[in-house]
Amino acid sequence: DARVTQTPRHKVTEMGQEVTMRCQPILGHNTVFWYRQTMMQGLELLAYFRNRAPLDDSGMPKDRFSAEMPDATLATLKIQPSEPRDSAVYFCASAKGDRGKETQYFGPGTRLLVL
Amino acid sequence: GEDVEQSLFLSVREGDSSVINCTYTDSSSTYLYWYKQEPGAGLQLLTYIFSNMDMKQDQRLTVLLNKKDKHLSLRIADTQTGDSAIYFCAESSSLGTGGFKTIFGAGTRLFVKA
């Protein structure tokens, strides 16, 4: 049963620290998304990659956030330095990108709390 | 820009039908989706409909699409307490460059009262 995995599942850190979240997309999926979910803002698209190339990161605060795909099996989202307002659940999703039918498969999320 | 809108809350009694509505603005949408998010979990695809269809049924779920009005609905028959979750509407469309984009609504929180 193929699924998207994310690590860590939970992270508590202090303001100013670096946070790195990792995602392993489903094998064979060529599109990876990073979302942030909060009660106030709902689900926000931060960035997405196709064939490891970043296509859109307009939803991401550029000064502190960065997203990369070092290889086809790993996507990372880094926050440096972290701030309390970054506290949220961060989801990774992957898709096969099949002619517009973009069913996204979501990971379980990383719950981040910045104190 | 394109937008997807949903009501934020819906409350129903166990055994009743639930109808969750969604409107979207992109007339070039190719696929429309319903995702379900249970507490503490990620979103899971419930069902989808291609834009040239007007109805799709899958067990207790019925999806209706009114393309003229850009209105999508999800009907859950015989709603159970286990259906309590957040339901997200989403639409995807081709960008014409071989790529595509998907836009999610804010989600409708369904409460099922026993």
Side-chain angles (χ1 to χ4, degrees):
Chain A
D1 185 22
R3 54 185 68 189
V4 175
T5 57
Q6 290 186 247
T7 56
R9 292 293 309 276
H10 304 270
K11 176 75 177 178
V12 180
T13 191
E14 291 186 340
M15 182 173 66
Q17 297 298 303
E18 177 178 303
V19 175
T20 298
M21 290 170 270
R22 293 177 175 81
C23 167
Q24 183 172 8
I26 292 173
L27 193 64
H29 283 193
N30 67 348
T31 310
V32 174
F33 305 83
W34 281 106
Y35 291 92
R36 175 170 65 183
Q37 187 178 38
T38 61
M39 286 293 291
M40 295 299 294
Q41 299 295 327
L43 193 67
E44 301 174 275
L45 177 65
L46 295 176
Y48 80 99
F49 295 77
R50 182 157 295 125
N51 298 321
R52 295 178 55 201
L55 285 195
D56 185 356
D57 61 1
S58 58
M60 210 164 64
K62 302 288 192 305
D63 56 338
R64 298 183 300 107
F65 284 59
S66 62
E68 294 180 348
M69 275 201 79
D71 61 59
T73 65
L74 176 65
T76 62
L77 179 66
K78 288 186 182 179
I79 309 174
Q80 169 62 19
S82 58
E83 296 181 3
R85 60 183 166 144
D86 301 329
S87 298
V89 182
Y90 291 81
F91 288 105
C92 173
S94 71
K96 202 172 180 181
D98 182 16
R99 292 183 296 169
K101 177 172 165 291
E102 189 197 59
T103 300
Q104 296 186 26
Y105 294 83
F106 282 73
T110 293
R111 280 154 182 75
L112 174 65
L113 177 61
V114 183
L115 301 173
Chain B
E2 291 83 7
D3 196 17
V4 175
E5 292 194 352
Q6 308 176 233
S7 53
L8 292 183
F9 299 99
L10 176 66
S11 179
V12 299
R13 292 188 188 279
E14 191 175 21
D16 288 351
S17 291
S18 308
V19 179
I20 303 172
N21 294 301
C22 167
T23 57
Y24 59 98
T25 57
D26 189 349
S27 56
S28 63
S29 296
T30 51
Y31 285 92
L32 297 114
Y33 306 85
W34 286 104
Y35 285 80
K36 177 183 181 182
Q37 184 182 28
E38 295 181 341
L43 280 69
Q44 280 189 301
L45 179 70
L46 263 186
T47 186
Y48 67 91
I49 188 168
F50 188 49
S51 59
N52 69 354
M53 298 169 64
D54 50 22
M55 187 180 89
K56 181 177 181 180
Q57 189 147 5
D58 183 2
Q59 299 183 334
R60 292 190 298 121
L61 305 178
T62 303
V63 178
L64 295 178
L65 174 61
N66 182 328
K67 197 171 180 181
K68 174 175 168 289
D69 294 338
K70 300 190 187 70
H71 181 267
L72 183 74
S73 67
L74 173 70
R75 179 176 179 270
I76 306 172
D78 187 24
T79 312
Q80 303 298 305
T81 54
D83 295 325
S84 293
I86 304 175
Y87 291 81
F88 290 87
C89 171
E91 60 93 9
S92 70
S93 54
S94 297
L95 293 172
T97 56
F100 47 84
K101 61 177 170 32
T102 300
I103 298 175
F104 283 83
T108 299
R109 192 177 292 270
L110 175 65
F111 296 95
V112 182
K113 297 175 284 190

